[in-house]
């Protein structure tokens, strides 16, 4: 959580549910309206964004599917070119080096808090889209025979779909 008085706090819940499956639930809490966005820094990829998902391929040939849900209004892909100034999309394999990578910006815009951003990352030969549903007490993610729930009490629950 952010320590400054009066600033928003981010409470991140993480679920590693299966090899190659990561689900993040970011609850941004506080008072007033704030610009809310989440960033994902990835190695160099090919592929693109369509709607609320990015279908990417790593240099190894492995596919990565990133889906955004919750308050996300837009997913933006940033890939710097050689010679660009440091910024989004660059990463460092070791101190003093700069490598071209990929950055994804999940933009929820400016809105009153609380705000929730849900991110589903799958890395596999052929990832299948997750189904995200909200109820009055939780957000549920169904993917690959698994059910991942983020209840309003701040916990994470992982199970199998029967």
């Amino acid at each position: 959580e952010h320590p400054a008085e009066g600033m928003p706090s981010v409470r991140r819940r993480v679920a590693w549910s299966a090899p190659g499956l990561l689900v993040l639930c970011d609850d941004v809490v506080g008072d007033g309206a704030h610009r809310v966005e989440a960033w994902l820094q990835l190695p160099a990829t090919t592929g693109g964004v369509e709607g609320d998902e990015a279908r990417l391929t790593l240099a190894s040939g492995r596919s990565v599917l990133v889906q955004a849900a919750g308050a996300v209004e837009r997913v933006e892909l940033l890939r710097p070119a050689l010679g660009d100034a440091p910024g989004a999309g660059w990463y460092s394999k070791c101190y003093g080096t700069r490598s071209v990578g990929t950055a994804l910006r999940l933009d929820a815009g400016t809105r009153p808090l609380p705000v929730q951003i849900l991110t589903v990352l799958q890395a596999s030969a052929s990832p299948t889209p997750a189904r995200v549903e909200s109820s009055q007490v939780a957000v549920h993610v169904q993917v690959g025979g698994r059910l991942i729930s983020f209840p309003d009490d701040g916990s994470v629950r992982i199970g199998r779909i029967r």
Side-chain angles (χ1 to χ4, degrees):
E1 293 190 23
H2 197 290
E5 182 76 27
M7 295 298 293
S9 296
V10 178
R11 298 180 181 144
R12 172 166 278 178
R13 293 178 275 172
V14 178
W16 282 103
S17 177
L21 175 62
L22 173 67
V23 183
L24 307 172
C25 182
D26 293 325
D27 295 306
V28 183
V29 296
D31 296 320
H34 295 271
R35 176 146 189 100
V36 177
E37 55 189 24
W39 287 83
L40 299 174
Q41 182 66 49
L42 304 169
T45 64
T46 57
V49 171
E50 187 173 317
D52 62 358
E53 67 181 40
R55 290 187 175 272
L56 308 171
T57 303
L58 302 172
S60 66
R62 186 170 208 164
S63 295
V64 177
L65 173 61
V66 180
Q67 293 176 268
V72 175
E73 296 174 352
R74 187 170 78 117
V75 177
E76 181 182 6
L77 179 69
L78 298 130
R79 289 192 182 107
L82 290 175
D84 285 355
W90 289 102
Y91 73 101
S92 180
K93 294 178 184 179
C94 62
Y95 182 77
T97 65
R98 214 172 44 184
S99 300
V100 174
T102 300
L104 284 175
R105 183 170 73 103
L106 313 179
D107 186 4
T110 300
R111 57 181 61 225
L113 302 181
V115 171
Q116 188 173 72
I117 295 177
L118 193 79
T119 311
V120 180
L121 294 101
Q122 297 180 69
S124 68
S126 55
T128 58
R131 195 167 100 210
V132 179
E133 297 177 346
S134 294
S135 71
Q136 290 182 351
V137 295
V139 175
H140 309 283
V141 179
Q142 296 181 29
V143 61
R146 299 190 183 276
L147 176 63
I148 303 158
S149 297
F150 297 95
D152 290 344
D153 66 8
S155 65
V156 178
R157 297 195 178 110
I158 302 172
R160 291 207 170 269
I161 300 171
R162 298 170 200 239

